Structures are given as C-alpha cells and as structure tokens.
C-alpha cells in the first residue's frame, strides 16, 4: 500500500486514537524509567556535584552546598529522576514517535527508523557527557574561584542550573540528526545550510555566550567550537542524505 493510500484509509479519529495510545505508552515508559533512576537519587546528586571538586574555594571549605527549604531534597530528587529517566527511556520514546509517523512514509523512508532512534539517543548522551566532562568543570572553577568570599550554594538551584546546562548540550548535539530529518522531508538541503553558515556562526556565538555565564573567552570558545562543528557536520550529512532528483523519487500509484 502506498503512502497516499495509507493516509486516506485512516480517519482523523483513528489517528487521534493512535496518538493517544502512543502518548500513554511513552508516559508509562518514562514513569518506569523515573522509578528506576529515583532509586539512585543519592548517586545522581553526587554526580552533579562532582564538578565542584576542581574549585580551590570548595576544597578549602569556602564554598558549601546547602538546602534552604524543607522540600528541596525531595523536589530535587524528583527533578533529577525525571531527566535521568528521560535520558534512559529516550530511545524507546523516540520509537513510539517513529511508530506514529511511520505509516505516513514511503517504505524506503521507513528504513531510517533504527538509525534515527539510535542516533538521537547517542547524540543526546554524547552532548551531555561533553558538557559534563569538559565544559562544566572549567566554568564552575572560574565562577567559584573568582573571589575570596565564602559562598553558600543552594542545592536545588545549583543542581537545577547544572541539569539545564547538560540538557542544553544534549539537545545541541541533536543538530546533525535534525539536519538529516529536515533534509529527508525536503525542508532544507545542504546548499541552503552552506549559504547560511554566517548566520549559524552568529547564532552559535550567542548560544555559547548564554550557556557559559562567564566573561572568560576560553570557556565560551570551548562551547562555541564544538557547536559550530556540529553545524558543519549537519551540512555534510545533509549532502550525504539529500533527496534524489524528482524523476528518481518514488511516486504513489493512483487508484491504489
């Protein structure tokens, strides 16, 4: 059956019912993953606090991580469990997304399901790992050792900031995957992306300045360089996975 026939054969309410089922399954998957990661909440908090170890003020006791509210530790555990559970269950959730949109695609396009799911999950984890191992320690050390004053870091706010930072890096590393998807559905191509490199460079520098709240150009470049390299990788992948000429594309058979 062709794509056109697939789309016409299912009424709107059938699509909505399928979407509802996929959403329920995704929520259940995320809930199970959260329940698993919640058991390791102490280790997750220690993992997020690890970048503090490089600060001289932290080592000397001038920087302390404290809680200000009774519910901070509980809410923080839920927050970390959510993001860790999302990272753990991301391939399965993306599988549900693909399962919903796959019936509307040509058979030749459906073969990208597994690369898409694996690529998106691996890219997110690589981005978070890059930020955690290379960028966070340098940024935290600069901010905490900037002055001699004693500092009390609110545990909830600090770990919330670190989590947001890591998620931002994870999403940024999805750029090549996004370039491939937009290329395959015909929204962009490698020529458009190549012509827009100046705008991409400006956007990358602005994003790097926002992600790294420090005036240190070294930290900003540590973020900007890999982000721009990801853009260039997206251009390359867009060229590799570009759509064939119109006469080579698969066309639905009328009347089927």
């Amino acid at each position: 059956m062709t794509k056109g026939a697939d789309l016409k054969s299912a009424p709107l309410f059938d699509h909505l019912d399928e979407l509802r089922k996929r959403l329920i399954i995704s929520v259940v998957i995320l809930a199970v993953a959260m329940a698993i990661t919640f058991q390791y909440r102490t280790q997750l908090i220690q993992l997020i606090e690890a970048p503090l170890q490089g600060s001289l003020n932290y080592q000397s006791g001038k920087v302390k991580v404290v809680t200000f509210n009774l519910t901070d530790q509980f809410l923080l555990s839920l927050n970390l469990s959510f993001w860790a559970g999302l990272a753990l269950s991301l391939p399965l959730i993306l599988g549900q997304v693909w399962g919903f949109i796959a019936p509307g695609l040509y058979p030749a396009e459906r073969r990208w399901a597994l690369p898409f799911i694996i690529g998106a999950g691996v890219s997110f984890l690589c981005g978070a790992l890059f930020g955690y191992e290379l960028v966070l320690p340098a940024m935290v050390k600069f901010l905490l050792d900037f002055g001699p004053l004693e500092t009390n870091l609110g545990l909830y706010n600090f770990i919330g900031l670190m989590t947001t930072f890591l998620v931002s890096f994870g999403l940024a590393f999805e750029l090549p995957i996004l370039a491939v998807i937009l290329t395959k559905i015909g929204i962009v191509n490698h020529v458009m992306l190549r012509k827009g490199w100046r705008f991409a460079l400006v956007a990358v520098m602005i994003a790097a300045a926002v992600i790294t709240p420090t005036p240190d150009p070294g930290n900003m470049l540590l973020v900007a360089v890999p982000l721009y390299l990801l853009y260039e990788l997206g251009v390359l992948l867009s060229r590799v996975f570009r759509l064939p000429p119109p006469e080579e594309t698969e066309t639905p058979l009328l009347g089927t």
Side-chain angles (χ1 to χ4, degrees):
M1 184 177 292
T2 63
K3 180 170 73 169
D6 284 343
L7 292 176
K8 293 180 180 179
S9 63
L12 175 62
F13 286 107
D14 288 346
H15 287 300
L16 293 178
D17 185 59
E18 177 68 14
L19 177 61
R20 180 183 64 85
K21 292 178 180 178
R22 297 287 181 181
L23 288 175
I24 292 175
I25 293 174
S26 298
V27 170
V28 171
I29 292 173
L30 178 58
V32 172
M34 283 185 62
I36 295 174
T37 55
F38 188 80
Q39 306 303 315
Y40 300 92
R41 57 191 179 276
T42 301
Q43 291 86 341
L44 289 174
I45 292 176
Q46 294 173 347
L47 194 65
I48 295 294
E49 287 182 328
L52 294 172
Q53 302 295 331
S55 167
L56 296 178
N57 283 341
Y58 181 80
Q59 296 174 12
S60 64
K62 292 182 179 179
V63 175
K64 297 179 181 179
V65 180
V66 298
T67 58
F68 297 106
N69 299 303
L70 181 64
T71 58
D72 277 358
Q73 295 193 56
F74 176 73
L75 294 177
L76 174 63
S77 298
L78 289 179
N79 192 357
L80 285 177
S81 298
F82 170 80
W83 289 112
L86 181 61
L88 181 64
S89 61
L90 187 60
L92 296 178
I93 293 176
L94 291 176
Q96 294 301 313
V97 174
W98 189 268
F100 177 73
I101 66 176
L105 301 176
Y106 291 112
E109 296 171 334
R110 296 175 189 172
R111 70 175 184 268
W112 296 104
L114 187 59
F116 166 72
I117 294 171
I118 296 177
V122 171
S123 296
F124 185 89
L125 293 178
C126 287
L129 184 62
F130 175 86
Y132 180 81
E133 292 290 344
L134 296 180
V135 182
L136 265 182
M139 185 183 73
V140 170
K141 176 177 172 53
F142 177 87
L143 291 174
L144 292 183
D145 294 345
F146 184 76
L149 299 178
E150 293 187 0
T151 304
N152 287 331
L153 291 177
L155 179 65
Y156 188 80
N157 291 334
F158 168 73
I159 296 188
L161 177 63
M162 296 299 100
T163 303
T164 302
F165 181 87
L166 295 178
V167 170
S168 298
F169 259 92
L171 293 177
F173 270 61
E174 300 285 355
L175 286 175
I177 302 297
L178 181 62
V180 172
I181 294 173
L182 295 180
T183 298
K184 296 302 292 184
I185 63 180
I187 295 179
V188 301
N189 55 54
H190 66 283
V191 178
M192 295 170 55
L193 294 175
R194 172 53 57 206
K195 290 181 178 179
W197 72 270
R198 294 179 180 85
F199 299 100
L201 181 59
V202 172
V204 163
M205 296 304 295
I206 293 175
V210 172
I211 293 176
T212 55
T214 69
D216 182 7
N219 285 337
M220 190 174 75
L221 288 176
L222 193 60
V223 175
V225 170
L227 288 183
Y228 185 75
L229 290 178
L230 287 171
Y231 177 81
E232 290 293 337
L233 177 60
V235 176
L236 176 61
L237 293 176
S238 179
R239 181 181 179 86
V240 172
F241 295 101
R242 65 186 182 275
L243 293 174
E247 62 271 11
E248 298 180 12
T249 57
E250 181 181 356
T251 56
L253 299 177
L254 298 177
T256 59

